[in-house]
């Protein structure tokens, strides 16, 4: 099966040009101007932009909180609709089991035959034993070239102390495994939360007040110093505040291999969203917490100067009903904000159309650099011959409002309700198969495939 996409404006990380793309089977066969080839299907993309399929390097489809679980891979049609063709899921290690063993079992039970986009995984260390750390060297052969540790969430089974983070860094560096950390000071958060509850301060807004910027800045600085000690690269996930960005900038200036991402919600929401009435603020409870508008602007600038190299969704699909577990105690609100399908259109609307980033920079943040970070750039993140035919045709002429009725996230709300949206994914191809047509999902359950990542990603280069 050959598909020819003609007359679109192809956007790469360096430039954009009018051209054609020939897809044969699952791969991009040719890219050029005025391709004269026979094809089974011809699509005229005049007036539209052609982007590589998005890579979302930070998503949660299996997160559990007090017996409640997020929506799973059966909702990944939402990713496709939003131009994301590859998602990378965090999988918590099962107690007493190895990292590879845990992910393999999870993949077979919860993902294979279900996912509607391609996928990979980040194992999360929850059982910091010598055997666990030794297992890190086995991750690349299995196709998992990253590992994550949570510095936050004191008392939770997935919390890691400095010793665990350091042991992971020491083991990972020779194997080419990128260590990712959720950087927040767990002790300070625990202290402030206990004081808030004792004072009767139980509403969602106090989630932000008890997780102020200093807890992220301090933990980011500490994580960088642990990496300095271990002489290893480190990647800071979901960076939200000026102080944490500056810690990364300073480390880079010193020549240290320190990298970080931010997420769509931190570019668009501020902490006042948590003050919404009728418990609506709980919809915006995520960790790290939402910040001030000044932090938002600093994050946009930090994308431009390269201090942060990717934008993820940190998608976490808890329902509003599940959030109501914390009606009387904000600590019991399941953390996380859904945004799987909103990342590209929100970056386009509030980044590109607002003049904060260029289209080429958008491609880098949402696709190319996430592919590089996670060792997927041998197949994903580029529109070039030999790469997977993951292609987005983006129509910039559509204007609409985001609504839950139009959402595929299978939740009872969308955090972006009422937001203006400029453009939409008119068509999306997943390895050559069209899964979005005329702005509607037309794919099938189980079309996604496991993509092996390779070791020594961006942090090592």
């Amino acid at each position: 099966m050959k598909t020819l996409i003609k007359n679109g404006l192809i956007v790469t990380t360096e430039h954009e040009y009018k051209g054609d793309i020939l897809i044969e089977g699952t791969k991009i066969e040719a890219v050029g101007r005025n391709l004269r080839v026979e094809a089974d299907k011809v699509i005229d993309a005049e007036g539209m932009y052609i982007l590589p399929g998005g890579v979302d390097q930070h998503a949660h489809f299996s997160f559990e909180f007090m017996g409640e679980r997020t929506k799973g891979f059966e909702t990944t049609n939402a990713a496709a609709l939003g131009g994301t063709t590859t998602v990378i899921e965090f999988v918590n290690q099962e107690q007493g089991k190895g990292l590879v063993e845990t992910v393999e079992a999870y993949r077979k039970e919860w993902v294979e035959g279900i996912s509607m986009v391609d996928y990979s995984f980040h194992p999360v260390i929850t059982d910091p034993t010598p055997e666990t750390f030794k297992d890190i060297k086995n991750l690349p052969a299995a196709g998992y070239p990253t590992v994550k540790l949570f510095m936050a969430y004191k008392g939770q089974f997935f919390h890691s102390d400095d010793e665990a983070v350091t042991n992971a860094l020491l083991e990972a560096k020779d194997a080419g495994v990128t260590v990712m950390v959720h950087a927040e000071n767990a002790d300070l958060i625990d202290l402030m939360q206990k004081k808030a509850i004792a004072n009767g301060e139980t509403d969602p807004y106090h989630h932000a007040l008890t997780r102020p910027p200093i807890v992220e800045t301090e933990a980011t600085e500490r994580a960088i110093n642990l990496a300095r000690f271990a002489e290893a690269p480190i990647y800071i996930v979901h960076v939200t505040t000026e102080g944490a960005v500056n810690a990364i900038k300073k480390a880079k200036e010193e020549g240290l291999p320190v990298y970080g991402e931010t997420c769509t919600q931190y570019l668009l929401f501020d902490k006042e969203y948590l003050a919404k009435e009728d418990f609506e603020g709980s919809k915006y409870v995520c960790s790290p917490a939402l910040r001030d508008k000044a932090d938002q602007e600093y994050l946009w600038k930090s994308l431009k100067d390269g201090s942060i190299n990717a934008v993820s969704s940190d998608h976490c699909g808890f329902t509003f009903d599940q959030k109501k577990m914390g009606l009387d105690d904000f600590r019991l609100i399941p953390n996380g904000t859904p945004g799987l399908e909103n990342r590209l259109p929100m970056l386009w609307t509030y980044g590109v159309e607002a003049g904060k980033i260029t289209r080429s920079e958008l491609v880098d943040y949402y696709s190319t650099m996430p592919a590089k970070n996670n060792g997927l750039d041998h197949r994903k993140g580029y529109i070039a011959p030999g790469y997977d035919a993951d292609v987005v045709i983006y129509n910039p002429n559509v204007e609409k409002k985001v609504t839950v009725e139009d959402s595929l996230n299978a939740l009872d709300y969308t955090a972006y309700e009422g937001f203006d949206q400029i453009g939409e994914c008119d068509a999306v191809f997943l390895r050559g198969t069209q899964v979005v047509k005329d702005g509607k999902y037309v794919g099938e359950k189980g079309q996604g495939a496991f993509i092996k990542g390779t070791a020594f990603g961006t942090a090592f280069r």
Side-chain angles (χ1 to χ4, degrees), residues 88-124:
I88 309 181
E89 157 78 327
F90 291 95
V91 181
N92 288 336
Q93 175 191 16
E94 291 188 33
Q95 300 296 298
K97 292 186 178 180
L99 299 171
V100 174
E101 180 185 9
T102 295
V103 177
E104 296 286 312
Y106 172 78
R107 188 173 111 201
K108 290 175 182 175
E109 182 176 1
W110 296 97
V111 188
E112 290 179 356
I114 299 172
S115 184
M116 302 175 213
V117 294
D118 288 352
Y119 50 87
S120 191
F121 303 95
H122 306 290
V124 179

Side-chain angles (χ1 to χ4, degrees), residues 127-147:
D127 191 11
T129 64
E131 291 74 25
T132 292
F133 296 120
K134 289 177 183 176
D135 198 24
I136 289 175
K137 68 179 182 297
N138 300 318
L139 293 176
Y144 315 128
T146 58
V147 67

Side-chain angles (χ1 to χ4, degrees), residues 205-351:
Y205 193 66
H206 283 88
H207 173 78
L209 298 185
T210 57
R211 297 181 104 97
I214 187 62
V215 304
E216 182 184 345
T217 300
E218 185 282 328
T220 301
E221 292 170 344
R222 180 158 39 97
I224 290 169
N225 281 326
L226 296 178
R228 188 197 308 271
F229 169 80
E231 298 182 340
I234 195 165
Y235 198 98
I236 314 296
V237 300
H238 47 42
V239 176
T240 76
T241 190
E242 181 176 348
V245 173
N246 286 342
I248 295 171
K249 284 184 178 181
K250 182 174 182 292
K252 284 180 175 292
E253 289 167 0
E254 295 174 9
L256 298 177
V258 177
Y259 298 83
E261 65 168 12
T262 192
C263 304
T264 324
Q265 61 267 31
Y266 299 118
L267 295 168
L268 297 184
F269 304 142
D270 62 69
K271 71 175 187 288
E272 297 309 311
Y273 278 77
L274 282 88
K276 286 177 174 279
E277 296 181 350
D278 300 322
F279 206 61
E280 291 284 321
S282 67
K283 296 176 179 178
Y284 302 91
V285 168
C286 55
S287 294
L290 299 179
R291 305 300 184 197
D292 295 320
K293 289 186 181 295
D295 289 294
Q296 290 178 25
E297 293 307 311
Y298 201 76
L299 290 172
W300 283 111
K301 292 175 182 176
S302 299
L303 282 166
K304 289 287 287 186
D305 68 23
S307 302
I308 296 170
N309 77 359
V311 179
S312 303
S313 72
D314 196 2
H315 174 80
C316 200
F318 285 112
T319 67
F320 187 35
D321 278 344
Q322 288 173 311
K323 294 265 187 179
K324 290 177 182 176
M325 292 169 57
L327 273 169
D328 300 316
D329 185 341
F330 67 85
R331 297 174 301 176
L332 305 183
I333 300 171
N335 280 212
T337 304
L340 193 61
E341 63 197 345
N342 309 104
R343 187 173 59 121
L344 171 56
M346 292 298 99
L347 284 174
W348 187 282
T349 303
Y350 296 95

